[in-house]
Amino acid sequence: MTANLIVCGSLLRPIALKEDTDTVKAEDSKSKACLQKVSMLLDLTLFYHCPFMRLALAITLINTGYFVPYVHFVAFARETGFDEYQAAFLMSVAAITDLIGRLFSGWMSDLGKLRLVHVLFLWTLLTSVSIAAIPLGTSYPLLVIISTCYGFFSGAMTPVVFSLIPEIVGIQRIFGGLGLLQMIESIGGLLGAPLSGWLRDITGNYAASFLVAGGFLFLGSLVLCTLPNFFSCYSTSASNGQSDDSKRDEAKQLTKQEAESHCNTHIEDIPVKSV
């Protein structure tokens, strides 16, 4: 199922926007080389966008540990000594609190009290702690509490990831950035479960699997700290929906318009001699 995200991410295409008019015309030109067409189709220029690549690295690390409880939580509960219905109920609790967490995260983000990157950092850090705490669940009530925390924190984290993309790449490149991010982050989702299963085989229990999974999310939260102006309480220029390139383009356009306006005004001030 996770492998399908790679295909979906690579096939995701942007809808037509006013800002993309020039790009569409350029793609239709027969003079473009095949490699350039592929690059524009997938917006491969984002590979040179350092903040975006740091975000992609962080989300890939997060995805590596994110799905491990969904794969091994029930098995861990059965191994601890609980029956199959009790073990399955833990994932039901996580699913319910996941939905509540998504709604709460959206409401919290709309308040505007915190920047989205800070909200994502908070939920990622709490999710990593909840996953790493799973081996401590020796009693069923404690496992229910851990499952509730994991479902709520992980659910609250998910929608913020996609809301952060416009702040990093700008509105004009959001569709290419979303597709490329999903294609890259799927690599972590594919590696997480086999890695945790391998750790289970060599250690004989699930403690190392959950600790390493929580460690991946913790590393992802640290990478988020490297995003532009992370330690600032104010949004950057890209967070207003525009990238630095688009800002420069607008400045050039305004300068050009001002020059033309000044030229026209100067011409109008020249007295015209009657013949």
Side-chain angles (χ1 to χ4, degrees):
M1 182 179 66
T2 306
N4 294 333
L5 295 177
I6 298 179
V7 180
C8 294
S10 62
L11 294 178
L12 186 64
R13 299 292 178 269
I15 61 176
L17 298 174
K18 293 181 180 179
E19 296 84 354
D20 298 332
T21 304
D22 296 335
T23 305
V24 174
K25 292 180 180 178
E27 289 180 349
D28 294 336
S29 177
K30 295 182 180 180
S31 60
K32 290 291 183 180
C34 180
L35 183 60
Q36 292 176 330
K37 289 183 179 180
V38 173
S39 177
M40 295 184 67
L41 196 62
L42 296 177
D43 202 358
L44 298 181
T45 57
L46 287 173
F47 280 115
Y48 301 99
H49 195 290
C50 293
F52 173 79
M53 292 307 299
R54 292 198 294 270
L55 175 64
L57 174 60
I59 303 306
T60 301
L61 291 172
I62 292 171
N63 261 22
T64 304
Y66 178 86
F67 295 103
V68 171
Y70 288 103
V71 178
H72 296 305
F73 202 175
V74 173
F76 170 76
R78 293 295 306 276
E79 188 179 77
T80 306
F82 304 106
D83 59 51
E84 56 182 348
Y85 295 105
Q86 290 178 314
F89 180 74
L90 294 175
M91 296 312 302
S92 300
V93 171
I96 295 173
T97 53
D98 179 281
L99 176 60
I100 298 174
R102 291 171 188 262
L103 297 175
F104 178 82
S105 178
W107 171 79
M108 179 179 176
S109 300
D110 288 340
L111 292 178
K113 301 297 183 180
L114 295 174
R115 292 180 55 199
L116 289 178
V117 64
H118 296 155
V119 175
L120 179 59
F121 173 81
L122 173 64
W123 295 132
T124 302
L125 191 61
L126 292 175
T127 304
S128 69
V129 173
S130 64
I131 294 177
I134 292 177
L136 300 177
T138 55
S139 64
Y140 192 73
L142 186 56
L143 276 180
V144 172
I145 294 175
I146 295 175
S147 177
T148 302
C149 293
Y150 166 72
F152 183 84
F153 296 148
S154 62
M157 176 185 64
T158 303
V160 185
V161 173
F162 304 107
S163 302
L164 187 61
I165 296 177
E167 289 194 5
I168 302 299
V169 301
I171 293 295
Q172 297 179 1
R173 308 175 75 180
I174 181 175
F175 295 101
L178 178 60
L180 199 59
L181 177 63
Q182 287 189 317
M183 185 172 64
I184 296 174
E185 70 173 353
S186 299
I187 298 174
L190 288 172
L191 294 178
L195 176 61
S196 62
W198 176 73
L199 290 174
R200 164 67 176 81
D201 292 338
I202 64 175
T203 60
N205 56 64
Y206 290 99
S209 300
F210 291 119
L211 289 175
V212 171
F216 274 113
L217 273 88
F218 180 74
L219 289 177
S221 65
L222 294 182
V223 175
L224 290 175
C225 296
T226 66
L227 293 178
N229 296 323
F230 175 83
F231 297 100
S232 173
C233 296
Y234 301 98
S235 301
T236 60
S237 59
S239 65
N240 294 326
Q242 293 177 312
S243 61
D244 294 337
D245 294 336
S246 61
K247 286 286 187 180
R248 286 193 292 267
D249 292 340
E250 284 189 3
K252 291 180 181 179
Q253 185 68 20
L254 290 175
T255 303
K256 182 178 179 181
Q257 292 177 356
E258 290 176 357
E260 292 177 353
S261 175
H262 178 73
C263 182
N264 293 335
T265 304
H266 181 69
I267 293 175
E268 291 176 357
D269 292 340
I270 297 177
V272 180
K273 296 182 178 180
S274 58
V275 179

